[in-house]
């Protein structure tokens, strides 16, 4: 794993290995800007351009359409705002950190930017949960429309507050520390904060669960319930297919005698599909060619 930029979603303490190996106290080499780092910078730059154009377009379009804003468009606006946090804070942070290979912005910036990076990811996941729960109520409880907008705003408020609470520890555990053998090398790390490896694993597990697995579980449950409800309503709407008793001679006789009385008259109304006209044809087929002249 890269000592400077390990995956944020799996490993939050991603610079401890820069200093030494805890097992044998062997010092590692300082990170350098190499070809792999260049590839990552290029990839992040492309993602930044795509994300900036897409999220800004969505956000500006929804904000300008405030007069006709619906509940779901309000949530999409918040989702675009969360993605803008990731686009304009997390991605440039990753690019700059790769280019410099060390932290050069000071301790306050270390705590602030690591907090904002986590906050954007938490907020994006939580707003997606709000969207799925809102769709759940819209499909399974459509009569609760009167308090739908109030419920939507309440969920969004809770999403922002919960994201803030979950991201705050980042500003506590991360700090700027000096390399023990290279006094000119500074890095934003969690090294030395946790009392044991167990505490560090517990914190990382909490972050992963709160950021991904719990929101994913809620989203899967909500849309599964929606899918089951739609499937159920579809079956109820179709209902059992009713097939007319075409073996009943009296029904066919009634249809053909009606045609006798109306023969010669001008037809002014088109028969609906599947109506008596279709039944007459079926009856003629079943009763034989002797009724063909009745049409």
């Amino acid at each position: 794993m890269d000592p400077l930029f390990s995956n944020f979603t799996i490993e939050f303490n991603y610079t401890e290995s820069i200093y030494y190996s805890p097992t044998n106290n062997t010092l590692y080499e300082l990170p350098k800007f190499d070809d792999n780092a260049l590839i990552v910078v290029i990839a992040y730059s492309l993602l930044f351009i795509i994300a900036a154009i897409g999220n800004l377009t969505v956000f500006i379009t929804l904000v300008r359409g405030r007069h006709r804003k619906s509940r779901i468009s309000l949530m999409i606006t918040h989702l675009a705002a969360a993605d803008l946090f990731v686009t304009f804070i997390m991605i440039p942070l990753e690019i700059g950190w790769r280019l410099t290979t060390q932290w050069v912005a000071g301790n306050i910036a270390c705590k602030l930017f690591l907090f904002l990076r986590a906050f954007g990811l938490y907020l994006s996941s939580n707003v997606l949960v709000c969207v799925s729960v809102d769709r759940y109520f819209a499909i399974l409880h459509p009569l609760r429309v009167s308090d739908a907008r109030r419920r939507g705003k309440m969920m969004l408020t809770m999403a922002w507050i919960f994201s803030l609470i979950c991201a705050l520890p980042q500003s506590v555990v991360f700090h700027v520390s000096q390399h023990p053998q290279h006094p000119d090398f500074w890095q934003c790390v969690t090294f030395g904060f946790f009392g044991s490896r167990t505490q560090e694993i517990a914190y990382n597990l909490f972050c992963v669960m709160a950021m991904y697995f719990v929101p994913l579980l809620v989203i899967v449950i909500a849309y599964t319930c929606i899918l089951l409800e739609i499937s159920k309503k579809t079956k109820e709407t179709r209902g059992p297919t009713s097939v007319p008793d075409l073996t009943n001679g009296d029904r066919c006789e009634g249809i053909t005698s009606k045609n006798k009385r109306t023969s010669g008259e001008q037809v002014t109304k088109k028969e609906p599909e599947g109506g008596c006209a279709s039944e007459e044809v079926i009856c003629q087929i079943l009763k034989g060619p002797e009724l063909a002249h009745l049409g």
Side-chain angles (χ1 to χ4, degrees):
M1 181 177 58
D2 187 286
L4 184 60
F5 278 88
S6 58
N7 193 320
F8 178 80
T9 65
I10 300 176
E11 179 78 31
F12 281 78
N13 178 15
Y14 53 131
T15 51
E16 178 178 341
S17 58
I18 288 177
Y19 296 106
Y20 69 91
S21 173
T23 57
N24 55 17
N25 294 333
T26 302
L27 288 172
Y28 287 176
E29 293 184 1
L30 294 179
K32 299 179 181 179
F33 185 78
D34 52 13
D35 293 338
N36 291 332
L38 178 61
I39 294 174
V40 173
V41 168
I42 294 175
Y44 271 125
S45 300
L46 293 176
L47 288 175
F48 175 80
I49 295 173
I50 297 172
I53 295 175
N55 287 305
L56 281 175
T57 301
V58 172
F59 185 78
I60 294 174
T61 301
L62 292 174
V63 169
R64 287 182 175 178
R66 188 186 302 272
H67 61 284
R68 50 188 175 84
K69 182 174 294 184
S70 64
R71 205 168 60 254
I72 191 65
S73 64
L74 175 64
M75 294 188 176
I76 298 300
T77 303
H78 283 258
L79 181 60
D83 291 338
L84 288 175
F85 269 98
V86 178
T87 302
F88 289 100
I89 294 178
M90 178 179 172
I91 296 181
L93 175 64
E94 300 290 346
I95 295 175
W97 212 342
R98 280 282 182 177
L99 292 174
T100 60
T101 68
Q102 65 173 316
W103 190 262
V104 295
N107 191 54
I108 295 179
C110 167
K111 294 178 176 295
L112 176 63
F113 281 105
L114 269 296
F115 159 75
L116 291 176
R117 184 178 72 165
F119 177 74
L121 295 173
Y122 279 118
L123 184 60
S124 181
S125 298
N126 291 328
V127 174
L128 284 175
V129 170
C130 294
V131 174
S132 62
V133 173
D134 180 78
R135 294 301 86 197
Y136 169 85
F137 279 101
I139 300 298
L140 274 73
H141 305 284
L143 297 181
R144 299 183 183 179
V145 176
S146 57
D147 61 338
R149 188 165 185 83
R150 180 180 62 84
R151 183 175 60 244
K153 290 182 177 180
M154 184 182 303
M155 289 192 299
L156 289 172
T157 302
M158 292 176 60
W160 281 81
I161 294 175
F162 183 74
S163 302
L164 180 67
I165 293 174
C166 290
L168 272 177
Q170 290 293 97
S171 61
V172 178
V173 301
F174 276 92
H175 59 277
V176 173
S177 183
Q178 190 179 29
H179 194 283
Q181 285 194 348
H182 299 273
D184 295 332
F185 187 88
W186 297 83
Q187 195 59 270
C188 183
V189 294
T190 63
F191 175 71
F193 177 83
F194 297 102
S196 64
R197 184 65 177 172
T198 303
Q199 294 179 1
E200 182 180 357
I201 293 175
Y203 175 71
N204 292 338
L205 183 61
F206 163 76
C207 293
V208 174
M209 294 293 293
M211 186 178 295
Y212 288 106
F213 290 108
V214 173
L216 178 62
L217 179 62
V218 175
I219 292 172
V220 169
I221 292 175
Y223 282 108
T224 300
C225 293
I226 291 173
L227 181 62
L228 293 176
E229 181 69 14
I230 293 176
S231 178
K232 176 184 175 182
K233 293 299 182 182
T234 302
K235 292 180 180 179
E236 291 179 356
T237 302
R238 290 177 179 177
T241 305
S242 57
V243 180
D245 186 6
L246 298 178
T247 60
N248 190 343
D250 295 337
R251 178 172 177 80
C252 291
E253 290 293 342
I255 295 173
T256 54
S257 61
K258 178 182 177 181
N259 287 331
K260 287 181 179 180
R261 293 193 303 269
T262 58
S263 60
E265 297 180 0
Q266 183 178 3
V267 179
T268 59
K269 183 178 180 181
K270 183 179 180 181
E271 291 286 351
E273 294 185 4
C276 293
S278 299
E279 294 180 357
E280 175 198 352
V281 174
I282 297 175
C283 289
Q284 290 181 4
I285 295 174
L286 292 177
K287 297 199 69 173
E290 64 273 15
L291 296 179
H293 67 280
L294 296 178

